[in-house]
Amino acid sequence: AQEAVLRFRNAKRDLEYDRTNAALDEATQAYAAFQVAADAEGMAECVRIVCHAMARQGLRKQAIQMATEELEKFREQSKKRAEALMLLTLAEIKLNASAKETREEAAQLANQAKSAFQTMKDRRMEGESCLANGNALLKLEGTAGPAAEAFEHARSTFRSLQSLQLEGRAQECRNECLEAAELEAISSWQLELGDSQSALKSAEQSLVLAEACSPRRQALALRALVRAYIAQGKAGLVLGNCVEAVSKFQEANAREAESIGLLALVECSIAAEDTLDRKEMQAATDACLAFRELGDAQQEMQMLCTMSRQCLRRRQLDQAEDHARTALHIAQAVDDRALRAESVGLLADVFLAKPNSDKALAILKQEQAINRNDRDALGQALCLLSMANVHMELSKPKEVLACAEEARALFRSMGDKMGELSALQITADVHARAMRYSDMLATLEKALQLATGVGDTVTEASLNV
């Protein structure tokens, strides 16, 4: 038992210093020792460390599977505290998921853990559960108020333990929650309304406020500022800010803030120069590595797709294919159908450029068959749009129209008006190229009605032109 406790403490310290491999090794051995001692709580504590270490290595799906299996085992054995620890572990890992439903589930799991720890009068873990609940709520739309309440509950709980360090953590989360609400409700909201000037002022104020907060909050405020400048067509004015911020985050060893800063730098560079130079491509590569270390598969895939597009534009076709294939591999592993469709579409574009149109169509047909077999209507529709674009490049208008119409029907059956709008725009393009102007105008009229209905002011304006 003494060896188990010692190894557990080593694993916990290794995880705090981002030594994930060492943490995995120590926690696994500690688990085995606790298992011999029939100490379910010790085993659960070790599983928590293993799962967090796996998530940081990009193995979030496997971590969730492990925690779920352990949860069922402890539940069958009526080991209440071990069960509560697994509920909390699942909440902490799932709160960073890209799917909204998974983040909602994380909030529910954290609440269940909080209730269980309250019953056991475990104030420390009750506070940790409140932090997880608040962080999950923070990532859901319209939940900034409840998130602030969860952080305040955590702060008061930690205060009762007379732990200034834990109380400080909760207070920082609460401050970040309020600022995140300000960023989302003001700057982002103003951008959506097309008021980039007001959005810029709000973002500048947020950046000033963020200086007193964590590096992560500073990075998020910087990205809001970058988005506002991009909307105004002045991205070049903040390129220097991005470079300086990334350097500062690197010096502070603030890995998550660095990854967000690198993302802002890449977005800003593309908007300012319509391409990435060698240094900026290295920044994109660094961002991919950071996202992988943080277990943020969605951002890693998006960055890989960005790099693939840039390589495609430079006619660096082998590199473009490598990036797209890596993105597709990750998308399949985490079951992200939207990004899977995007990466498959990119691969098709690469094959067209090589040129290998047969291979481009083959990979799309293969993906289409998988989606049809999985009854994935969205995946089928997205794949059909990519096939329509390939046929467009091959000057096959009949095939383009067939794919676009089939995709539109699928989007309509799901109530996806934005998808339907994309399909209509492809159809209108075919009619325009064939000089069937009456058909083109009729199609654009349908598209305009959809754009107006969903509040897509940018598309609406372009269609009116």
Side-chain angles (χ1 to χ4, degrees):
Q2 187 175 0
E3 179 192 353
V5 171
L6 180 61
R7 287 194 176 278
F8 168 72
R9 288 174 179 169
N10 289 341
K12 193 173 180 180
R13 184 173 60 254
D14 286 332
L15 190 63
E16 287 174 357
Y17 286 94
D18 286 326
R19 297 191 291 261
T20 52
N21 287 330
L24 279 169
D25 182 55
E26 290 284 357
T28 301
Q29 294 187 56
Y31 179 92
F34 280 126
Q35 193 172 32
V36 171
D39 186 339
E41 292 182 15
M43 292 164 62
E45 293 279 11
C46 293
V47 171
R48 188 163 178 240
I49 289 178
V50 169
C51 288
H52 278 292
M54 290 172 68
R56 291 187 189 184
Q57 292 182 338
L59 304 173
R60 185 178 289 136
K61 189 174 182 179
Q62 293 89 329
I64 290 173
Q65 181 179 351
M66 175 183 287
T68 302
E69 291 173 355
E70 293 293 316
L71 171 63
E72 292 172 356
K73 181 177 71 177
F74 292 135
R75 189 169 281 162
E76 288 176 3
Q77 296 173 355
S78 296
K79 302 294 185 181
K80 297 298 183 184
R81 190 172 187 278
E83 178 185 340
L85 283 168
M86 290 302 94
L87 288 170
L88 176 57
T89 301
L90 283 168
E92 290 169 333
I93 295 173
K94 289 188 174 187
L95 63 85
N96 288 313
S98 56
K100 181 182 177 183
E101 296 80 6
T102 308
R103 298 197 301 272
E104 289 174 340
E105 185 184 352
Q108 295 167 2
L109 288 165
N111 252 332
Q112 292 174 31
K114 182 189 79 172
S115 298
F117 287 124
Q118 279 179 327
T119 302
M120 290 177 258
K121 294 183 170 48
D122 188 333
R123 300 286 284 168
R124 164 69 187 268
M125 298 314 298
E126 178 189 341
E128 294 285 356
S129 301
C130 287
L131 286 182
N133 184 38
N135 281 316
L137 291 171
L138 189 57
K139 297 174 186 297
L140 298 170
E141 296 178 8
T143 53
E149 292 175 8
F151 290 139
E152 180 58 30
H153 187 142
R155 189 168 72 93
S156 62
T157 301
F158 290 142
R159 185 189 298 159
S160 70
L161 297 173
Q162 297 183 333
S163 173
L164 292 177
Q165 181 181 9
L166 292 174
E167 185 181 348
R169 272 180 60 203
Q171 181 63 47
E172 181 182 6
C173 286
R174 186 178 188 281
N175 290 342
E176 288 195 5
C177 172
L178 296 175
E179 287 157 16
E182 178 184 9
L183 282 169
E184 181 180 355
I186 300 178
S187 185
S188 297
W189 176 65
Q190 288 166 335
L191 268 184
E192 289 175 7
L193 291 176
D195 187 357
S196 60
Q197 189 60 42
S198 297
L200 178 58
K201 290 180 181 178
S202 299
E204 287 172 338
Q205 292 171 1
S206 298
L207 191 61
V208 172
L209 290 171
E211 287 300 318
C213 299
S214 68
R216 175 180 175 274
R217 174 54 51 212
Q218 294 169 30
L220 290 171
L222 172 67
R223 193 175 177 212
L225 185 73
V226 167
R227 291 180 63 220
Y229 270 106
I230 289 174
Q232 288 197 337
K234 301 176 181 178
L237 297 178
V238 282
L239 265 175
N241 301 64
C242 293
V243 173
E244 184 180 334
V246 168
S247 177
K248 181 178 72 172
F249 297 144
Q250 288 172 338
E251 289 176 5
N253 197 27
R255 196 64 167 143
E256 186 177 8
E258 180 191 349
S259 68
I260 298 169
L262 286 166
L263 176 59
L265 173 59
V266 171
E267 291 173 335
C268 191
S269 300
I270 292 174
E273 303 164 4
D274 203 30
T275 186
L276 297 177
D277 62 22
R278 189 161 64 178
K279 286 185 178 179
E280 290 155 354
M281 280 295 284
Q282 184 58 52
T285 303
D286 292 342
C288 273
L289 179 60
F291 290 134
R292 188 175 305 144
E293 290 177 1
L294 294 165
D296 194 337
Q298 185 187 40
Q299 291 286 13
E300 182 185 355
M301 285 185 286
Q302 289 177 339
M303 187 57 69
L304 283 166
C305 288
T306 296
M307 294 167 68
S308 179
R309 286 191 205 92
Q310 290 295 314
C311 289
L312 184 57
R313 294 188 67 174
R314 296 177 177 191
R315 307 296 296 177
Q316 297 170 337
L317 302 182
D318 289 339
Q319 294 97 316
E321 182 178 348
D322 286 344
H323 294 319
R325 284 195 182 279
T326 303
L328 177 59
H329 178 73
I330 299 171
Q332 289 170 334
V334 300
D335 198 24
D336 189 316
R337 57 187 181 182
L339 283 169
R340 189 178 72 190
E342 183 179 357
S343 52
V344 166
L346 272 170
L347 272 176
D349 290 340
V350 171
F351 293 142
L352 268 178
K354 282 199 166 182
N356 193 333
S357 57
D358 290 340
K359 201 169 184 180
L361 287 171
I363 192 171
L364 289 170
K365 288 177 180 177
Q366 180 183 8
E367 181 70 10
Q368 179 74 338
I370 293 171
N371 289 325
R372 190 177 290 114
N373 186 59
D374 292 342
R375 296 182 180 179
D376 183 352
L378 177 59
Q380 290 181 63
L382 292 171
C383 199
L384 282 164
L385 289 184
S386 294
M387 291 174 71
N389 287 323
V390 171
H391 286 307
M392 186 81 81
E393 291 296 322
L394 297 174
S395 301
K396 295 182 177 180
K398 289 183 180 179
E399 287 83 353
V400 176
L401 286 174
C403 289
E405 284 304 310
E406 188 179 349
R408 183 188 170 201
L410 284 167
F411 283 127
R412 190 190 301 125
S413 70
M414 294 180 286
D416 187 339
K417 293 185 178 181
M418 292 300 295
E420 192 178 347
L421 178 59
S422 298
L424 282 170
Q425 288 175 298
I426 292 175
T427 301
D429 193 9
V430 174
H431 291 319
R433 294 185 185 200
M435 293 187 288
R436 294 190 295 267
Y437 296 121
S438 59
D439 290 337
M440 179 195 75
L441 290 172
T443 304
L444 288 176
E445 181 62 33
K446 294 176 184 176
L448 182 59
Q449 291 175 1
L450 281 172
T452 304
V454 298
D456 186 347
T457 55
V458 175
T459 302
E460 185 181 353
S462 66
L463 291 172
N464 276 316
V465 171

